[in-house]
Amino acid sequence: MADRGCPLEAAPLPAEVLESLAELELELSEGDITQKGYEKKRAKLLARYIPLIQDVHSEAVQAALAKYKERKMPMPSKRRSALVHSSVETYTPPDTSSASEDEGSLRRPGRLTSALLQSHSGIEPWLDRVIQGSSTSSSASSTSSHPGGRPAAAPSASTALAGLTAHAHIDLHSAPPDVTTGLVEHSPSERPQMASVGGIPRGHGRNVLETADGVPVNSRVSSKIQQLLNTLKRPKRPPLKEFFVDDFEELLEVQQPDPNQPKPEGDQMAVLKGEPLSAGTSGPLSLLGALQLWGTTQPKAPCLTALDTSGKATCTLTYGKLWSRSLKLAYTLLNKLTSKNEPLLNPGDRVALVFPNSDPVMFMVAFYGCLLAELVPVPIEVPLTRKDAGSQQVGFLLGSCGVTLALTTDACQKGLPKAPTGEVATFKGWPPLAWLVIDGKHLTKPPKDWYPLAQDTGSRTAYIEYKTSKEGSTVGVTVSHSSMLAQCQALTQACGYTEAETLTNVLDFKRDAGLWHGVLTSVMNRMHVISIPYALMKVNPLSWIQKVCSYKARAALVKSRDMHWSLLAQRGQRDVCLSSLRMLIVADGANPWSISSCDAFLNVFQSRGLRPEVICPCASSPEALTVAIRRPPDLGGSPPRKAVLSMNGLSYGVIRVDAEEKLSVLTVQDVGQVMPGASVCVVKVDGAPYLCKTDEIGEICVNSVATGTAYYGLLGITKNIFETVPVTADGVPVSDRPFTRTGLLGFVGPDNLVFVVGKLDGLMVVGVRRHNADDVVATALAVEPMKFVYRGRIAVFSVTVLHDDRIVLVAEQRPEASEEDSFQWMSRVLQAIDSIHQVGVYCLALVPANTLPKAPLGGIHISETKQRFLEGTLHPCNVLMCPHTCVTNLPKPRQKQPEVGPASMIVGNLVAGKRIAQASGRELAHLEDSDQARKFLFLADVLQWRAHTTPDHPLFLLLNAKGTVTSTATCIQLHKRAERVAAALMEKGRLDAGDHVALVYPPGVDLIAAFYGCLYCGCVPVTVRPPHPQNLGTTLPTVKMIVEVSKSACVLSTQAITRLLKSKEAAAAVDVRTWPTILDTDDIPKKKVASIFRPPSPDVLAYLDFSVSTTGILAGVKMSHAATSALCRSIKLQCELYPSRQIAICLDPYCGLGFALWCLCSVYSGHQSVLVPPLELESNVSLWLSAVSQYKARVTFCSYSVMEMCTKGLGAQTGALRMKGVNLSCVRTCMVVAEERPRISLTQSFSKLFKDLGLPARAVSTTFGCRVNVAICLQGTTGPDPTTVYVDMRALRHDRVRLVERGSPHSLPLMESGKILPGVKVIIAHTETKGPLGDSHLGEIWVSSPHNATGYYTVYGEETLHADHFSARLSFGDTQTVWARTGYLGFLRRTELTDASGERHDALYVVGSLDETLELRGMRYHPIDIETSVIRAHRSIAECAVFTWTNLLVVVVELDGLEQDALDLVALVTNVVLEEHYLVVGVVVIVDPGVIPINSRGEKQRMHLRDGFLADQLDPIYVAYNM
């Protein structure tokens, strides 16, 4: 076929060739030659005469793949258990449609098709083997290329297959490029990428991996990340265009039209009119008239033959039977169904028809019975389970149509799911239905003279056909009696149907062409329909051809899939003859792959009597019914045409016949002429319905009596679709009658033939270009369908992410496919689509065979698949996201402006009327004025004074898990225990004043006594959390490190811990010989110290406070005696603490504010502290709240982890707690001690939950402290309630604060971190210039206060670090004050509230730690914001942490669910971060719950996590590398 555009002509065979063929047949039948030899010789004879069909597409795919040398991509790593998917059987319900083929999923289309099977001697026997199921890989591996020369003569399996797939052109001179990487031997440089599973390297038994540059590396994760980076270095295709950058709005990039893009240049098209409809001159005037006529005059004439799955005729319905049974049903419906003596049904009521695909006879009776009774049939699918794909939408349709009755058969009714009562179950979303079985014995015979009054003409609705839209919603298209009649007449005329003809129908008879030809038009013409059920086609794909043969059918109605299947099954069937056919109607002639099926089918069956002109593709749509059909020449059809169109032109909606660019083209065939009596035009897809130009693609519109009339009950969209008025460029309507939009995209070609290039439903608009889902499917299938994709089942759809359509491709993989196969297939599909369509695929997902939701006849239910993808219930077994290459409309990265100097900043703020952001707590009276303050300068003095004045006043009560008091301490008891410890330190430990002592105690009174014992002898205490006995390996090294870094000369501890520190297990974790002196304080003698040490000045060091920051840095700060007493004094004033008060503390006592509240404040203020160790909550969650209630604590402190435990653990138990008498109405303030942004959602849910127990709504608040000052803010008992503001998250990324309304897009709620403590001053400073900032800026919080720590205590005394953090000065303005830098970003805001002094209250809002912020795309992100978005993305995400690694954003999520659901999260995480933060996720790591490390304060240790990830210690379930 040199000229691709010419109609297909078959060369007639010369007589001598026919003779040789006959001889061959004879030899074969007599066994003188093998089947293989026969085929080889026959192919040789025919090779010169059968035209080769070229499939440009398949060639293109192969060329594209050859062009990209297998680009290496990082393979995802997957834990082995996540790989084990149960066998296909477990997914396949044992119903007949399980392994079904796809409607559309002929999508494999054939591209195997082109059976040009007889044409090329080397291939045909090979193909025969493949089709019979031999292993393809064995034939492939034998074809490795010759070392120096061309590939071996026989193309390798996958190449030949990919070459055949589609109307395959196989070049006889050189084999196609060998793209079977992975099957052939690899040269060393081409070693396939191995991924190890759960730490076991897969592949060739080598454990060294290579990066993309070929450098061997050992760490699995890093090498893959390295590869990912190398992949990302490739320039992205769409160059960055112009951006709009606005001060605040980061506008997404606007896609600029390409100036060189093709534009339509033709003239405006004219409306195309079909031949006039010769209104049934001879035929009956109505359909029911025809039924009555044939039923009474030709009662024995066969009307319909139904077949069973073995192909035997089970039942032939005659016209007489059809008439009498329909009458009987009509009579029963009208007269025998009553409720409360009212007829159940009135004329015009809608009735559901629920019939299986195997029972056309009963369906036909039901359909005509309803028409006779003037009822409106609504045919739907049989619901097999309570949650079929799309079943809920069908229920919605039935409800909106007001259906109350469903007709079905006895057998079908028995098979429906039943409720416990034995009634048919109510399906999800369905209205309540009465079910009527219409088998003969259930119907009543009408009286002799009874005849229905049915009027079947005019605009009343005859029936409703359902249609599922792109989004998955189901609508009902109403067809009026006049449309139905006109459709029958138009089809009769177009197809030349004559009385008593035989038609073989493979299609679904309930809707679409199957209904129009096989149920309506056939009765009009007294035809005999042979109905082939889907189940029979699955068992025997040749059945329809055999029936055409045995019934000498004149017409057959099929889809391209049926032709394709029969090609695969036709070997050895020599007795088939198709010469009786005058029309083979291809109902889905508008699909891009139908052309290959038609051509291949003709190639094979032309020798069996099939004439080329018999193949008649047609196009139809639910709204417009039949749009166009190709007719044989004897019915006035023009010769068929093909168009080879440029894919690039199509994507811009322009028709360009492709000349030079062979790679990306689409070959389409015409779908014939317009229907009789119809007018057709093509209008623009978007906007007003302007007529297209002749070389422009648009939506085909039809004006005819024979179209649908409306969407039932939906007036708005009905108007848009069924009442379109196309206009010329000048706005003049082309006709006074409205047109119906068909949803088909196409154009009118030469000879007034209609061409369809796609459907509106499958249109994906990426950027400014349009792509058709079916074309993308076809390309993916041409890669190597039979080897990898299970039965060609591929779904393509688009999802909107970041204001643009993104293409998603989901395929079912064969059960035996390996990880490597699937990854290789995915990378090749990406390359093919990239090359042919010039568009990126956003997500490629593979699911196990047979798990995609099915449409009624086995196709893939696309909208349901999309729904599952978006909800995270698709459960893929492999996934590859490519956001880096696809998403090209991100906002422009922020360019750092040259810094504005601090002076200009201040002037700018003044000019803008913004105040400089500074605030302070209450003034503290000067120490000189206060005798008490002078006395209370040293805590050791205070304790002695209290022991002397109020010896029996209780200071501490310690509770255990049962809530009983295990130890108490009055002032005198504490004083005496402290003396004992001091004596032991001086005598046993031989310590001098100023030596450091590590206190390794569990939370309790011993710890407090040891602390004051150190003060009594002038030692410097360092509190250390004891190691965890079950987890020594990780906890003990931290203890050892603190002891070493703090230069402790001695360790004080309990007997049990002392034993643990010296144990064998401890020796495995640390060097136990290097511990300093360890003193066990459990049984030290009762001794007094000669004199209690008194520091020479208040600036002497009192204690060291060590803690590990969230970034994993161990930092100890020095607290002087002056700072310690100032801290206690501030807290006392803020919380109004007196000796008569009781407070409850549920915190760890080792550092920060927790330590101060636990050990210092009670001694200073004299109040009683009820101590609840947080660890005890693990065995009794309600311990803390019960203690608060029991001791009527007005003030209580806890940590976020405690609050979270209570919220999660007591959520369902508030009633039980109330019964136990827990009452929280005593609480004035409950403060969460934290060094982070307030967790507003947690505090709110805690408040809501325990409101039932009397917790006042305003009680819960947070505190803020950090290393340089452990208590900056603390709500206290007076002052205004904490305020919450909403800020724009996008502005925060630019370090600006912009207040917005609650609920506005991108809003982030921030809660004030409590009131600023007395004596504390706060200012917001620029992180780099150190200048003061205004209210509207985010900056670093600087603090000045008497209780600031005096510096870091570090081994190497890094003075630079020290000076910077503890004695910073502003670069402008007040340059005298010495501030400490907190390392936290925040802002101040003056509120409308007034504080105790009558001043307006300044609120401090903490946004996050400066060390943890992520600098990405020139903007500042806070991990918690990204994490919050991710946690919201899916219910199975229990926790999340993010960090960056070499500019890649890594997201780690904990999966609280089944391992096989892990991969659902990858796309959802990527989507949500793109949508809400405009960031592309580089790596998604899915881990088990509890993997993300959390410190004692409940803060995530993201840097530990990052180290664990890079060292490959997380044992992830799955690691996905986004391309």
Side-chain angles (χ1 to χ4, degrees), residues 600-732:
F601 189 78
L602 180 63
N603 257 355
V604 172
F605 287 101
Q606 196 162 1
S607 58
R608 317 230 175 132
L610 182 69
R611 301 189 301 285
E613 67 275 11
V614 165
I615 295 181
C616 298
C618 76
S620 61
S621 87
E623 292 82 2
L625 282 54
T626 311
V627 176
I629 186 163
R630 191 190 288 172
R631 307 179 203 177
D634 56 333
L635 292 173
S638 4
R641 295 273 191 157
K642 283 186 186 159
V644 179
L645 306 176
S646 146
M647 209 62 113
N648 185 48
L650 283 178
S651 72
Y652 290 108
V654 178
I655 300 157
R656 290 288 176 267
V657 174
D658 204 281
E660 61 295 322
E661 173 73 14
K662 289 280 188 304
L663 270 188
S664 47
V665 292
L666 176 71
T667 308
V668 288
Q669 62 184 354
D670 68 277
V671 288
Q673 288 116 315
V674 182
M675 292 295 285
S679 307
V680 160
C681 65
V682 181
V683 301
K684 295 193 187 295
V685 177
D686 302 313
Y690 286 107
L691 285 183
C692 286
K693 296 187 171 165
T694 49
D695 62 343
E696 191 175 2
I697 302 284
E699 185 176 4
I700 298 172
C701 294
V702 176
N703 161 247
S704 152
V705 198
T707 60
T709 48
Y711 289 134
Y712 187 88
L714 302 168
L715 301 174
I717 49 175
T718 291
K719 199 159 180 56
N720 290 347
I721 301 293
F722 293 91
E723 298 170 26
T724 296
V725 180
V727 289
T728 61
D730 313 327
V732 182

Side-chain angles (χ1 to χ4, degrees), residues 1411-1442:
D1411 288 348
E1412 293 222 318
T1413 54
L1414 312 173
E1415 283 276 339
L1416 291 163
R1417 300 178 58 79
M1419 291 173 279
R1420 201 195 296 277
Y1421 286 87
H1422 297 272
I1424 185 72
D1425 296 328
I1426 300 175
E1427 288 158 3
T1428 308
S1429 298
V1430 169
I1431 288 171
R1432 275 204 318 265
H1434 193 277
R1435 63 174 184 282
S1436 300
I1437 299 178
E1439 188 52 274
C1440 164
V1442 302

Side-chain angles (χ1 to χ4, degrees), residues 1000-1021:
V1000 187
Y1001 286 91
V1005 180
D1006 287 349
L1007 172 69
I1008 303 167
F1011 176 81
Y1012 286 98
C1014 290
L1015 295 190
Y1016 275 13
C1017 66
C1019 293
V1020 177

Side-chain angles (χ1 to χ4, degrees), residues 1186-1465:
S1186 308
V1188 168
S1189 165
Q1190 183 187 342
Y1191 292 98
K1192 303 218 172 357
R1194 275 173 56 126
V1195 177
T1196 179
F1197 293 89
C1198 71
S1199 64
Y1200 279 124
S1201 22
V1202 166
M1203 192 168 262
E1204 195 158 29
M1205 277 169 87
C1206 291
T1207 313
K1208 285 185 177 161
L1210 299 173
Q1213 299 176 29
T1214 47
L1217 290 175
R1218 200 181 310 113
M1219 301 289 287
K1220 286 184 189 161
V1222 174
N1223 179 358
L1224 303 178
S1225 53
C1226 54
V1227 177
R1228 282 282 296 280
T1229 176
C1230 162
M1231 287 171 271
V1232 189
V1233 172
E1235 299 189 7
E1236 59 179 300
R1237 177 198 301 179
R1239 298 189 200 173
I1240 196 160
S1241 57
L1242 180 56
T1243 55
Q1244 282 174 350
S1245 47
F1246 180 82
S1247 298
K1248 269 193 201 130
L1249 193 58
F1250 296 108
K1251 191 172 70 181
D1252 295 355
L1253 298 179
L1255 180 70
R1258 310 160 157 199
V1260 180
S1261 62
T1262 64
T1263 70
F1264 173 61
C1266 59
R1267 291 285 68 207
V1268 300
N1269 185 327
V1270 297
I1272 297 169
C1273 299
L1274 201 146
Q1275 182 61 31
T1277 43
T1278 56
D1281 293 329
T1283 53
T1284 297
V1285 293
Y1286 291 83
V1287 298
D1288 185 327
M1289 207 187 302
R1290 292 168 306 178
L1292 272 188
R1293 293 172 201 152
H1294 295 280
D1295 291 344
R1296 294 204 191 80
V1297 178
R1298 179 183 176 202
L1299 298 186
V1300 292
E1301 289 300 315
R1302 176 180 180 176
S1304 59
H1306 302 283
S1307 64
L1308 172 71
L1310 292 175
M1311 185 162 95
E1312 176 187 355
S1313 292
K1315 302 289 162 284
I1316 297 174
L1317 280 167
V1320 176
K1321 285 201 293 197
V1322 168
I1323 191 162
I1324 306 295
H1326 194 287
T1327 49
E1328 278 151 27
T1329 65
K1330 301 192 179 143
L1333 290 175
D1335 267 352
S1336 58
H1337 282 263
L1338 184 69
E1340 187 179 9
I1341 301 169
W1342 287 15
V1343 59
S1344 159
S1345 114
H1347 62 257
N1348 276 8
T1350 47
Y1352 282 122
Y1353 180 86
T1354 47
V1355 186
Y1356 311 109
E1358 290 178 19
E1359 293 310 315
T1360 50
L1361 184 73
H1362 161 98
D1364 191 13
H1365 279 211
F1366 289 88
S1367 53
R1369 292 171 196 265
L1370 289 174
S1371 57
F1372 189 80
D1374 167 12
T1375 54
Q1376 295 313 303
T1377 311
V1378 175
W1379 301 89
R1381 299 179 59 174
T1382 62
Y1384 282 81
L1385 293 171
F1387 61 94
L1388 282 164
R1389 187 177 151 263
R1390 178 151 278 182
T1391 65
E1392 297 303 315
L1393 308 169
T1394 52
D1395 53 29
S1397 58
E1399 296 290 313
R1400 289 206 16 221
H1401 166 64
D1402 292 317
L1404 174 65
Y1405 298 91
V1406 178
V1407 176
S1409 156
L1410 186 59
D1411 288 348
E1412 293 222 318
T1413 54
L1414 312 173
E1415 283 276 339
L1416 291 163
R1417 300 178 58 79
M1419 291 173 279
R1420 201 195 296 277
Y1421 286 87
H1422 297 272
I1424 185 72
D1425 296 328
I1426 300 175
E1427 288 158 3
T1428 308
S1429 298
V1430 169
I1431 288 171
R1432 275 204 318 265
H1434 193 277
R1435 63 174 184 282
S1436 300
I1437 299 178
E1439 188 52 274
C1440 164
V1442 302
F1443 51 83
T1444 51
W1445 188 77
T1446 62
N1447 274 344
L1448 283 182
L1449 178 63
V1450 181
V1451 178
V1452 181
V1453 292
E1454 291 184 354
L1455 170 73
D1456 181 17
L1458 299 170
E1459 273 190 12
Q1460 64 250 38
D1461 305 353
L1463 279 76
D1464 283 316
L1465 307 181

